[in-house]
């Protein structure tokens, strides 16, 4: 059995791989690398040594046979996830059989957790056309309010890109931008993409716990009294 710290890392890595926005074949490679890393850790424990971070050496022959890949294809996949910041090689070491791979446990830094940019759309209504399912959008449904930091950060990047880094309420681009729940969380709103929009700090604060329609009505009433 793995050391408790390594066991926790192993579990978190499995979850991160399952949730990240990577092609299925790439996930299979990562899971096999993780399995090898766990074997390496168990062997070290048997020898009386324990590492803090899971690591392993590239075993091209074994992984090619298990995954049904060509050696060059396998190395290309590994190079991709290294560039993604998911795995690291030793400084100055070439990626080949015997190269040392270590895991990046800063899951928030994995670019594969950031959604691809989509055309800018202003969504003030949950009845708007839905986008294709996306791992973090599905994951966000599990929480009533704001989801954990890693999920929220990925959602934030997706919404900012979708709205072209522009406040959907006043049209101001750039500056201090936040995410606004169109239907406030206090009134049953979720953190799904169709209930999140980009808003500047001023508009987000002014809207408060109202819907955009209620806020607009309040502004019209105030203008009428002026």
């Amino acid at each position: 059995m793995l050391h408790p710290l390594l066991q926790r890392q192993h579990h978190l890595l499995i979850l991160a791989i399952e949730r990240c926005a990577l092609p299925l074949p790439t996930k299979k490679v990562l899971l096999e690398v993780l399995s090898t890393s766990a074997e390496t850790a168990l062997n070290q424990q048997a020898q009386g040594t324990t590492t803090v971070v899971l690591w392993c050496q590239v075993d091209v022959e074994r992984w090619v046979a298990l995954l049904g890949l060509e050696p060059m294809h396998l190395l290309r996949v590994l190079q991709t996830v290294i560039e993604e910041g998911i795995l690291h090689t030793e400084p100055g070491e070439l990626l080949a059989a015997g190269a040392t791979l270590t895991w990046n446990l800063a899951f928030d830094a994995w670019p594969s957790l950031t959604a691809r940019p989509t055309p800018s759309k202003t969504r003030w209504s949950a009845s708007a056309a839905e986008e294709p399912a996306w791992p973090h959008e599905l994951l966000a449904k599990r929480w009533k309010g704001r989801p954990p930091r890693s999920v929220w950060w990925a959602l934030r990047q997706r919404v900012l890109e979708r709205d072209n880094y522009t406040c959907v309420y006043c049209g101001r681009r750039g500056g201090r931008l936040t995410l606004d729940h169109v239907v406030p969380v206090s009134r049953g709103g979720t953190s799904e993409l169709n209930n999140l929009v980009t808003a500047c700090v001023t508009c987000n604060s002014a809207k408060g716990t109202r819907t955009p329609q209620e806020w607009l009505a309040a502004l019209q009433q105030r203008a009428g009294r002026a």
Side-chain angles (χ1 to χ4, degrees), residues 33-92:
V33 174
L34 181 56
S35 174
T36 305
S37 298
E39 288 180 19
T40 301
L42 284 171
N43 290 335
Q44 286 189 313
Q45 285 180 205
Q47 297 168 9
T49 59
T50 303
T51 58
V52 176
V53 177
L54 287 166
W55 68 278
C56 72
Q57 291 184 315
V58 176
D59 189 342
V60 175
E61 188 175 341
R62 176 186 171 192
W63 297 345
V64 161
L66 283 171
L67 300 170
L69 298 173
E70 293 294 326
M72 290 306 297
H73 185 194
L74 172 66
L75 291 175
R76 278 199 300 270
V77 170
L78 290 175
Q79 185 61 46
T80 298
V81 295
I82 288 170
E83 292 170 357
E84 288 269 355
I86 297 172
L87 296 175
H88 296 305
T89 54
E90 291 295 310

Side-chain angles (χ1 to χ4, degrees), residues 19 107-108 113 136 139 147-156:
R19 294 170 181 172
F107 306 129
D108 292 355
L113 293 182
H136 282 77
L139 196 59
R149 183 171 175 270
S150 60
V151 179
W152 180 254
W153 184 255
L155 287 168
R156 182 177 185 276

Side-chain angles (χ1 to χ4, degrees), residues 2 6 11 16 21 25 27-28 31 37 56 58 63 84 104 113 119-120 125 151 156 164 187 203-204 211 214 220 226:
L2 283 174
L6 293 175
H11 177 66
K27 291 186 179 185
K28 288 181 178 179
L31 289 171
S37 298
C56 72
V58 176
W63 297 345
E84 288 269 355
N104 180 2
L113 293 182
S120 177
S125 171
V151 179
R156 182 177 185 276
N164 197 28
R187 298 172 63 176
C203 289
N204 202 343
T211 66
E214 291 170 346
Q220 290 173 334

